[in-house]
Amino acid sequence: APCIGLGAVHVASKYDDAVMIVLPSDHLIKHNDIFKDTFVNACEVAESGANLVTVGITPNYPETGYGYIKYNKDNKEGVSYSVEKFVEKPDLETAKSYLEDGSYLWNSGMFVWKVSTILDCFKSFMPSTYDGLMKIKASVGTADYQATLEKEFPDLESQSVDYGIMEKADDIYTLAGNFGWDDVGSQSVELKRTMKMAMLSTAMLLLLIQRTV
């Protein structure tokens, strides 16, 4: 959350009340056009009011390594749905029930909101962090910026935006992302495991060949 807040004050200093998109750096997007269209729609929802918008991923298997977003299928606003709650990483049986229910998305950590909206949420739900962010904001573009940043930022509350804001706020909406999303962080773990198994199999095969020659 502090990093998002820091980004928000810089955007606010340069562009006033712009729409801000938060994206993780370790995700793979396979269908760029669909991705772009999804976020154009998300920006429209964010601009229409004091709305917090998240783009979830339509699950295609019962994943236990992601959090989930529960949305209200009966409360649709254009292309978005109102969010009922955020849930932590489930066990396998719970993940299967989410998949069968059809009203859960993987929480991808992708968000869209107006700068004023997210800063108001910091003020309401993380007030000490908000105070620090405002001190940093006041110093942006001045000779005091670096010193203010080094003084204030380490003392900001170390909390995720999900827990610090999203689980407490109202007016949260979600759009389903169907643009070929992969979590590279998780994939790399699986890839490393697969490569180790492949190397072990190759080593065993070479050892067998040497013994038979």
Side-chain angles (χ1 to χ4, degrees):
C3 292
I4 291 173
L6 181 62
V9 300
H10 276 277
V11 174
S13 296
K14 189 171 184 178
Y15 300 107
D16 195 23
D17 194 18
V19 172
M20 175 180 174
I21 299 175
V22 178
L23 302 172
S25 62
D26 61 346
H27 290 182
L28 172 67
I29 306 299
K30 298 176 183 176
H31 307 301
N32 291 335
D33 288 341
I34 300 174
F35 177 81
K36 180 193 71 174
D37 291 342
T38 301
F39 276 87
V40 167
N41 292 331
C43 287
E44 291 176 353
V45 177
E47 285 183 303
S48 68
N51 301 324
L52 301 174
V53 184
T54 179
V55 176
I57 303 300
T58 303
N60 53 14
Y61 64 92
E63 173 61 59
T64 60
Y66 306 145
Y68 284 71
I69 303 165
K70 174 71 170 69
Y71 66 91
N72 186 344
K73 291 186 288 187
D74 298 322
N75 188 2
K76 187 175 183 181
E77 297 286 341
V79 295
S80 67
Y81 294 89
S82 63
V83 171
E84 292 186 356
K85 62 180 178 178
F86 292 85
V87 294
E88 299 299 323
K89 299 174 183 178
D91 58 31
L92 182 58
E93 290 305 312
T94 303
K96 288 179 179 178
S97 72
Y98 291 167
L99 196 63
E100 293 172 0
D101 182 275
S103 62
Y104 286 84
L105 301 171
W106 288 335
N107 185 356
S108 65
M110 296 187 280
F111 305 103
V112 184
W113 41 55
K114 290 186 294 189
V115 169
S116 61
T117 301
I118 191 61
L119 290 178
D120 283 346
C121 287
F122 273 104
K123 186 176 183 180
S124 296
F125 305 118
M126 301 180 70
S128 63
T129 296
Y130 175 81
D131 290 343
L133 289 172
M134 290 302 99
K135 291 176 183 177
I136 295 171
K137 182 176 183 293
S139 73
V140 172
T142 74
D144 297 328
Y145 173 73
Q146 192 62 37
T148 305
L149 179 66
E150 292 176 0
K151 177 183 177 182
E152 298 295 336
F153 192 81
D155 291 333
L156 301 184
E157 184 180 356
S158 180
Q159 188 59 264
S160 71
V161 73
D162 284 340
Y163 184 80
I165 292 176
M166 301 300 287
E167 294 181 5
K168 302 171 183 177
D170 298 318
D171 299 319
I172 305 177
Y173 296 88
T174 190
L175 287 77
N178 296 290
F179 35 71
W181 174 91
D182 271 315
D183 183 351
V184 177
S186 295
Q187 291 291 332
S188 63
V189 173
E190 294 300 321
L191 181 59
K192 288 177 182 177
R193 184 181 297 118
T194 301
M195 290 179 64
K196 286 181 179 179
M197 292 302 295
M199 292 172 64
L200 178 60
S201 297
T202 301
M204 292 177 67
L205 178 60
L206 290 174
L207 180 60
L208 179 61
I209 291 172
Q210 289 175 354
R211 288 180 175 179
T212 56
V213 171

